[in-house]
Amino acid sequence: NIDEIMLLHSNPDTAFEYIHNKVINIDASPQNDIMGLSLRFYFCQSAKNDWVIHVDDDMEFTTDTLSELIVEFDKNTNRIVGRFGRDLLGSSSSGMFNGYNSANTHKETEVILTKFMIMQRQMCSSFFEYEHLIWDDVILHNGEGPLWNGEDIFMSLVANRIYSSSSSTAHNHPPYNNYHQQSTKFNNYAMDWLDVWNAPDYLKDYDAGKLDISGGFSGYTIWDWKWWQSLLRRNRHYSYRGFLWNHAKTRLMQMELEEEQEEEMWR
């Protein structure tokens, strides 16, 4: 049963007021200027329920899909569950897009996209506890697209770090070693069979995907310069996501190792 819906209006030009007793309309445009795509995790902290479902404004789905998502998450809440999952390609293939792969994954996966996903509310605060690891050199100085593009990747990596550490502590295993050993198998869960689809293009205030972060090819032909422009935008987007993924994962693992070494010193 959904008893609270928070609508974040980050663009004042397209903001509207949706009147419903379950809906909270939030003017997020001031925060959008300084937080970008991470603002969803900022406002997530003020949700009244322990579980929070994130949905992009161009996603559509059935009530059965929503129920199935919640039922699956209830089996294990120490993970992020969603429709769209991603895994980083191995080192042998990492030359293309820094290892980023846009193919949907099935079941256990490393990253869940924010398009349609469910997570614990408390994990939203963890995003900001760790964001300093990549904020300056990755996000500010090498960012591609809107501010904090790749927030879904970072959130999933942080969740992997925290949940694997909690699991290792419960079983008396060193946190870093557990995170490192689990690097090829993660708790995050992609339900790629769920009935979720993109809203019709006519609902957008632009055409042919020209403002889509990852590029859009609808309405273009291969000999059209706009097609090539869109391809270049998509390639830059994928490469940056791979860049962020690799740096964030490495620094989270380094941080875990340093914490464990410090604990060893005080034992």
Side-chain angles (χ1 to χ4, degrees):
N1 182 31
I2 306 299
D3 61 0
E4 181 184 53
I5 301 173
M6 302 172 69
L7 290 181
L8 303 184
H9 304 282
S10 59
N11 185 346
D13 295 332
T14 58
F16 61 91
E17 191 83 3
Y18 190 90
I19 307 301
H20 191 279
N21 60 352
K22 292 184 178 182
V23 174
I24 302 174
N25 291 277
I26 300 174
D27 177 12
S29 53
Q31 291 82 2
N32 184 55
D33 294 336
I34 58 176
M35 306 180 75
L37 300 181
S38 70
L39 63 82
R40 70 170 70 228
F41 300 122
Y42 175 76
F43 286 102
C44 163
Q45 299 173 92
S46 61
K48 69 178 183 180
N49 295 300
D50 293 335
W51 300 356
V52 178
I53 299 172
H54 295 267
V55 183
D56 279 3
D57 59 4
D58 59 349
M59 292 289 102
E60 296 186 351
F61 51 90
T62 65
T63 53
D64 287 342
T65 291
L66 185 61
S67 296
E68 189 173 353
L69 177 76
I70 296 173
V71 168
E72 177 58 42
F73 184 66
D74 188 41
K75 297 176 183 176
N76 175 13
T77 59
N78 287 342
R79 57 180 178 164
I80 297 177
V81 177
R83 165 62 174 82
F84 306 95
R86 296 288 186 270
D87 279 333
L88 197 66
L89 294 177
S91 58
S92 60
S93 306
S94 59
M96 180 67 72
F97 305 135
N98 294 310
Y100 183 77
N101 183 11
S102 62
N104 288 323
T105 53
H106 181 67
K107 295 190 174 181
E108 286 78 16
T109 191
E110 189 167 12
V111 164
I112 296 294
L113 304 188
T114 49
K115 289 184 176 183
F116 184 76
M117 72 178 200
I118 185 171
M119 62 186 292
Q120 292 183 358
R121 180 192 60 208
Q122 64 185 25
M123 192 56 58
C124 294
S125 300
S126 299
F127 180 95
F128 300 101
E129 293 174 11
Y130 291 91
E131 70 168 347
H132 67 277
L133 293 174
I134 61 171
W135 171 251
D136 186 58
D137 61 332
V138 176
I139 303 301
L140 284 184
H141 292 92
N142 287 288
E144 178 68 33
L147 181 63
W148 253 118
N149 178 19
E151 87 291 358
D152 42 11
I153 294 175
F154 190 68
M155 183 73 266
S156 288
L157 296 181
V158 168
N160 286 332
R161 193 265 191 192
I162 291 176
Y163 290 138
S164 64
S165 297
S166 299
S167 174
S168 64
T169 300
H171 294 87
N172 199 28
H173 295 310
Y176 173 78
N177 288 340
N178 187 70
Y179 181 50
H180 180 72
Q181 292 166 0
Q182 295 294 324
S183 61
T184 57
K185 183 176 176 61
F186 295 93
N187 274 339
N188 293 333
Y189 196 78
M191 305 174 70
D192 60 324
W193 60 90
L194 289 180
D195 192 13
V196 181
W197 63 94
N198 288 314
D201 285 342
Y202 69 79
L203 294 177
K204 298 180 179 180
D205 57 358
Y206 59 91
D207 56 15
K210 63 183 180 181
L211 296 182
D212 291 343
I213 298 175
S214 58
F217 299 94
S218 175
Y220 298 145
T221 57
I222 193 171
W223 53 83
D224 191 331
W225 70 271
K226 291 183 179 179
W227 188 93
W228 293 99
Q229 184 182 51
S230 187
L231 177 65
L232 179 60
R233 186 166 71 249
R234 186 210 66 176
N235 290 351
R236 288 200 308 264
H237 171 72
Y238 286 174
S239 294
Y240 168 69
R241 287 174 70 82
F243 172 79
L244 181 150
W245 194 324
N246 282 291
H247 279 71
K249 187 172 181 178
T250 297
R251 291 173 188 179
L252 283 165
M253 294 176 71
Q254 289 174 340
M255 182 180 185
E256 190 115 23
L257 178 59
E258 291 169 0
E259 289 177 352
E260 185 193 346
Q261 291 174 339
E262 185 175 349
E263 289 179 5
E264 289 289 340
M265 290 176 57
W266 291 100
R267 287 178 183 174

